[in-house]
Amino acid sequence: MLDLAPFRNGEKTFAQLAEPLTKADLYTLFNELIDAQAAELADVTDADLTFVYDDAELKEGEIAWTLNHVIAHTTASGEESFANGLTLARGVEITGRSRYESPWETITTADQMRQRLEESRRMRLAMLDAWPDEPHYDNTFTPFPRAGAINAKGCVVMCLNHDTIHLGQLREIKRQLRASHQ
């Protein structure tokens, strides 16, 4: 998996992390991450979806997330990043949000959650497949100030960063879930 510590430590931007990567690298890194998420969800049962973990970083008024909430959010954000990457690769300006998040409350079984993850993998890979043979890597946008200006490859790296954060969240939920059964 891609070492994202240089971004998180403020040493590098998404653009700097993305620069040396090839499109083939993006496929590999993305699939590794989705495989890791799928592995975390492999033994999840329907009953596990209602487990609310103790989130130490929760702010007042926020709700702690369940596994299905994490997957609904992560897949929506990832799809938006890949859609933005496709838009930039095609040489088109990004003019607004490209996001739809499945309501997490409608994901009521473990199989539905795993299916949502695999559907999102298929969709994101299709968007990467749709890049032109010569992507417009000079076409950039700034999704938020800390991200800096990113191109199509930077959009995928931003997605990898976001998904990796939520992979940690999945692992923590699973850790607490296992501990609650002891």
Side-chain angles (χ1 to χ4, degrees):
M1 294 216 279
L2 183 63
D3 178 13
L4 295 156
F7 172 77
R8 294 181 186 153
N9 296 335
E11 299 164 10
K12 288 190 174 185
T13 65
F14 286 138
Q16 290 168 321
L17 289 173
E19 179 59 34
L21 300 176
T22 66
K23 190 174 171 187
D25 293 333
L26 298 177
Y27 281 102
T28 299
L29 291 165
F30 171 67
N31 276 312
E32 286 174 353
L33 186 51
I34 295 296
D35 288 346
Q37 290 174 335
E40 287 299 321
L41 301 176
D43 63 346
V44 169
T45 68
D46 293 352
D48 295 338
L49 297 188
T50 61
F51 179 77
V52 178
Y53 83 115
D54 182 19
D55 184 349
E57 296 183 24
L58 198 62
K59 295 174 182 64
E60 188 170 333
E62 294 179 335
I63 61 168
W65 289 12
T66 54
L67 292 166
N68 52 344
H69 193 165
V70 174
I71 292 303
H73 170 77
T74 303
T75 56
S77 296
E79 290 159 15
E80 180 179 29
S81 290
F82 273 68
N84 286 339
L86 172 57
T87 299
L88 292 173
R90 293 176 48 241
V92 178
E93 178 184 352
I94 294 173
T95 59
R97 300 288 307 260
S98 177
R99 181 185 179 85
Y100 171 77
E101 184 166 332
S102 300
W104 62 270
E105 302 91 345
T106 65
I107 302 171
T108 58
T109 69
D111 283 343
Q112 285 176 315
M113 183 178 53
R114 288 185 282 267
Q115 183 276 334
R116 172 82 270 270
L117 181 63
E118 290 305 324
E119 175 184 54
S120 185
R121 179 199 308 251
R122 176 184 54 78
M123 292 168 61
R124 289 187 259 178
L125 289 174
M127 286 185 252
L128 193 53
D129 285 342
W131 285 18
D133 292 339
E134 294 184 25
H136 294 263
Y137 289 135
D138 58 331
N139 193 20
T140 64
F141 90 117
T142 304
F144 55 93
R146 178 142 155 45
I150 58 174
N151 65 12
K153 292 190 297 183
C155 287
V156 175
V157 169
M158 182 174 69
C159 170
L160 296 174
N161 181 66
H162 183 263
D163 278 17
T164 300
I165 291 167
H166 288 295
L167 175 60
Q169 187 180 24
L170 289 174
R171 288 177 174 154
E172 178 57 18
I173 294 170
K174 290 281 302 289
R175 185 193 69 74
Q176 289 184 27
L177 182 59
R178 283 190 302 271
S180 75
H181 293 312
Q182 293 177 352

